[in-house]
């Protein structure tokens, strides 16, 4: 693998810092601060119009001179946020600015970190363009993908990567699930062996590094492959061994449906309803291009078990 000059936006963030550590031993990683943007746009067309009026593109393009790859790990990851101007600024307008600057600088590959949240509760997560926004956060991520797709050029390798729920010792949601898993509230829907789209931070960072540096041209969209996590072993691993009770599937589905309806009225409930759905009912994941080309997550189930001590502290 040839060493590359990689410009990384969001290098100080949760995912970006892990990506920087993954890439640094073999590549020239340059961390560039992403501009903080707010946006009143809500559609891809409106975002593109807004991007045309922003003067940061030329300055950013100059900073990207000589880069082989640009990775956009910046953005607002708060799935519960209701500040739409901030969400759309970080997750839709910013990708537009960064990609315009990358195109102007002649960068060969652009990796945009999106999220599996763009497909919501689709039966099987995949790498298609089937996107279903259900909250302000998911809508901002969907719009970000649409903007990147609209600005794509045949001469530039542009890939939108969709990780699922990402876990690490410092992640608030990881600690929250760990506390639930260790409590009497630890429950899953029957039969309990259904897969749930969850990923370890180190595996996500490794996947992004692979997409940035592989000699094979990635497709336009790549979703993270299944890490073999089921709703039951997620609870068992994060609790240190406690087996969750199994709820009747009809009851779990009914409770999730009620929570989703509430989420349409009370928007903060939408994100939590989706989290519960994944913990109880899970969601299938299609075979990923990453697996097809031989990429394997470097950290296995022991990585999940190691989180138990941290989530209990």
């Amino acid at each position: 693998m040839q060493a590359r000059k990689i410009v990384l936006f969001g290098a100080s963030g949760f995912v970006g810092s892990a990506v920087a550590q993954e890439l640094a031993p073999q590549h020239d990683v340059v961390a560039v601060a992403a501009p903080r943007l707010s946006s009143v746009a809500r559609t891809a067309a409106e975002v593109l119009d807004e991007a045309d009026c922003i003067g940061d593109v030329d300055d950013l393009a100059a900073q990207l001179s000589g880069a082989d790859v640009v990775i956009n790990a910046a953005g607002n990851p708060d799935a519960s946020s209701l500040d739409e101007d901030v969400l759309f600024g970080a997750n839709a307008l910013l990708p537009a600015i960064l990609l315009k600057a990358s195109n102007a600088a002649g960068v060969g590959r652009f990796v945009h970190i999106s999220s599996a949240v763009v497909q919501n509760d689709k039966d099987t997560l995949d790498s298609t363009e089937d996107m279903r926004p259900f909250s302000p956060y998911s809508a901002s991520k969907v719009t970000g993908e649409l903007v990147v797709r609209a600005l794509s050029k045949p001469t530039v390798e542009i890939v939108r990567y969709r990780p699922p729920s990402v876990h690490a010792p410092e992640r608030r949601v990881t600690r929250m699930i760990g506390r639930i898993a260790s409590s009497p509230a630890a429950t899953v829907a029957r039969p309990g062996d259904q897969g749930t789209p969850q990923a370890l931070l180190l595996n996500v960072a490794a996947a992004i590094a692979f997409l940035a540096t592989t000699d094979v041209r990635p497709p336009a969209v790549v979703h993270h492959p299944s890490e073999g996590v089921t709703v039951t072993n997620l609870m068992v691993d994060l609790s240190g061994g406690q087996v969750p009770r199994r709820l009747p599937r009809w009851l779990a589905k009914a409770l999730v449906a009620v929570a989703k309806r509430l989420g349409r009225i009370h928007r903060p409930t939408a994100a939590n309803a989706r989290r519960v759905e994944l913990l109880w009912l899970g969601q299938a994941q299609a075979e990923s291009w990453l697996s097809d080309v031989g990429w394997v997550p470097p950290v296995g189930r022991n990585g999940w078990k190691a989180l138990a001590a941290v989530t209990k502290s």
Side-chain angles (χ1 to χ4, degrees):
M1 182 187 298
Q2 181 181 359
R4 290 170 167 81
K5 179 180 178 181
I6 301 173
V7 172
L8 175 61
F9 290 93
S12 62
F14 173 62
V15 171
S17 58
V19 173
Q21 290 181 12
E22 181 72 21
L23 287 167
Q26 292 181 293
H27 302 277
D28 178 16
V29 180
V30 180
V32 177
R36 294 189 177 275
L37 302 172
S38 181
S39 174
V40 296
R42 296 294 180 266
T43 68
E46 291 170 349
V47 170
L48 291 170
D49 287 342
E50 202 169 42
D52 287 338
C53 301
I54 292 181
D56 290 341
V57 174
D58 290 341
D59 291 340
L60 283 171
Q63 295 182 70
L64 304 183
S65 178
D68 300 300
V69 182
V70 168
I71 300 175
N72 175 28
N76 188 322
D78 187 355
S80 299
S81 174
L82 300 180
D83 192 335
E84 295 189 50
D85 287 357
V86 170
L87 287 172
F88 277 81
N91 297 334
L93 181 56
L94 178 61
I97 298 299
L98 299 186
L99 184 49
K100 284 168 70 73
S102 298
N103 287 339
V107 173
R109 182 176 294 174
F110 184 89
V111 181
H112 171 63
I113 302 174
S114 182
S115 170
V117 75
V118 300
Q119 292 197 311
N120 191 10
D121 57 0
K122 183 178 178 181
D123 287 344
T124 301
L125 292 175
D126 58 27
S127 296
T128 66
E129 299 289 354
D130 183 359
M131 295 184 281
R132 309 174 181 189
F134 67 96
S135 67
Y137 172 74
S138 67
S140 71
K141 297 298 282 188
V142 167
T143 304
E145 283 210 24
L146 294 175
V147 164
V148 169
R149 187 177 72 183
L151 292 172
S152 297
K153 294 182 177 181
T155 55
V156 182
E157 299 177 1
I158 299 175
V159 56
R160 290 171 271 148
Y161 165 65
R162 295 173 182 165
S165 299
V166 184
H167 296 276
E170 66 270 29
R171 196 78 194 270
R172 181 175 61 85
V173 69
T174 305
R175 291 175 176 269
M176 178 190 72
I177 295 173
R179 288 194 294 270
I180 293 172
S182 302
S183 76
T187 50
V188 298
R190 291 175 183 160
D193 60 353
Q194 57 271 27
T196 181
Q198 316 284 337
L200 292 168
L201 175 61
L202 293 180
N203 291 337
V204 168
I208 295 167
F210 180 84
L211 290 171
T213 60
T214 179
D215 293 329
V216 181
R217 179 169 183 160
V221 180
V222 174
H223 70 281
H224 191 81
S226 170
E227 295 194 10
V229 180
T230 69
V231 293
T232 295
N233 67 33
L234 178 66
M235 290 288 181
V236 170
D237 289 348
L238 292 186
S239 69
Q242 179 174 316
V243 179
R245 290 181 297 112
R246 296 183 180 181
L247 299 174
R249 190 171 184 84
W250 67 265
L251 176 60
K253 292 181 73 171
L255 292 172
V256 167
V258 170
K260 285 185 172 182
R261 284 197 292 270
L262 287 174
R264 297 189 192 105
I265 302 168
H266 183 251
R267 292 191 299 173
T269 303
N272 290 326
R274 180 68 184 131
R275 291 188 183 106
V276 171
E277 183 175 31
L278 290 174
L279 293 177
W280 275 354
L281 299 167
Q283 187 174 24
Q285 293 170 264
E287 191 73 12
S288 170
W289 176 85
L290 285 165
S291 300
D292 291 342
V293 296
W295 181 84
V296 177
V299 185
R301 189 170 176 185
N302 284 340
W304 292 98
K305 292 179 178 178
L307 291 175
V310 181
T311 59
K312 286 183 174 182
S313 61

